[in-house]
Amino acid sequence: SMFPTKALLSGWGGNDVTGNIDQGLTSPALASQPAFPPFKFEPRRTRIDWRLLHGVDINNIVRDVDLDVLEKVVSIIAFGDIEAEDTRHLTELNFLKVFRLAQLIIEYLLYVQDCLQSTNGYLQQHRSQQEKYISAARLRVRELEAGFKTAKRELRHARKTVKTFETMAVMGKL
């Protein structure tokens, strides 16, 4: 699919993600953003499927917010070689339809861009919160380890004291 569709966009926001204290404590630093190759314009390489475009009802797309139909025509609009077309197909009605479809595609892509920016902001904030949580959890683990070592030392000392008292009791010195 050419568009990040409803499934991608509906999975964000409002979901409270909680994790166990162990999550991330032993894992390496959080992954950095993926690197994308620089953008470049692709050559127009496909023929425009005028039959498909004639079958598209723009009013239905707008009324029903029919993204599936928009997805079917996006590659035709984006990569169709208009300069290689037979001039008989380049009528005013065809131009208006292609232009209107391009407007709908651009409008939807701007909407998706806004959704992705909002999602990115949410994820960055969530990541920051998780990093603080992990940092606090690591600090708590260090505190507990220090307390454990102290308790272990005290237990060894107490065992030696008990052993000394037992030895003294056996010898009758108590």
Side-chain angles (χ1 to χ4, degrees):
S1 152
M2 295 294 285
F3 290 129
T5 55
K6 300 161 235 160
L8 171 68
L9 299 175
S10 65
W12 301 106
N15 291 346
D16 181 34
V17 180
T18 56
N20 296 333
I21 194 166
D22 295 327
Q23 280 184 304
L25 290 179
T26 58
S27 66
L30 294 171
S32 62
Q33 284 186 321
F36 295 103
F39 176 79
K40 66 177 184 161
F41 289 101
E42 297 292 326
R44 308 298 135 218
R45 61 186 175 272
T46 60
R47 306 258 329 148
I48 295 176
D49 185 347
W50 293 105
R51 287 183 191 192
L52 178 66
L53 293 180
H54 285 273
V56 172
D57 185 337
I58 291 177
N59 292 328
N60 285 347
I61 292 174
V62 172
R63 183 186 64 240
D64 300 336
V65 189
D66 194 345
L67 301 179
D68 293 331
V69 171
L70 213 53
E71 281 187 35
K72 288 178 186 172
V73 299
V74 71
S75 63
I76 294 170
I77 302 296
F79 300 110
D81 188 358
I82 194 83
E83 293 172 349
E85 288 300 314
D86 185 343
T87 55
R88 291 177 290 172
H89 294 296
L90 303 178
T91 66
E92 187 176 335
L93 286 176
N94 284 347
F95 172 76
L96 289 173
K97 183 170 257 188
V98 168
F99 186 81
R100 186 68 177 116
L101 284 169
Q103 285 181 312
L104 295 176
I105 291 167
I106 292 167
E107 181 179 356
Y108 182 66
L109 290 175
L110 289 172
Y111 166 78
V112 169
Q113 181 182 26
D114 288 344
C115 290
L116 292 173
Q117 286 173 339
S118 294
T119 299
N120 190 35
Y122 165 79
L123 290 174
Q124 287 177 351
Q125 182 180 12
H126 182 70
R127 177 181 174 170
S128 175
Q129 291 170 346
Q130 290 300 311
E131 287 172 342
K132 288 176 186 173
Y133 172 80
I134 289 169
S135 177
R138 285 183 174 144
L139 179 62
R140 180 69 178 133
V141 166
R142 284 192 294 272
E143 290 170 355
L144 290 172
E145 285 174 340
F148 176 70
K149 287 179 183 176
T150 301
K152 206 171 176 181
R153 256 192 321 267
E154 290 173 359
L155 178 62
R156 274 194 300 264
H157 180 68
R159 283 182 178 160
K160 286 180 184 177
T161 303
V162 167
K163 194 166 197 119
T164 301
F165 281 130
E166 286 175 345
T167 303
M168 290 172 64
V170 168
M171 297 173 92
K173 294 191 176 188
L174 271 179

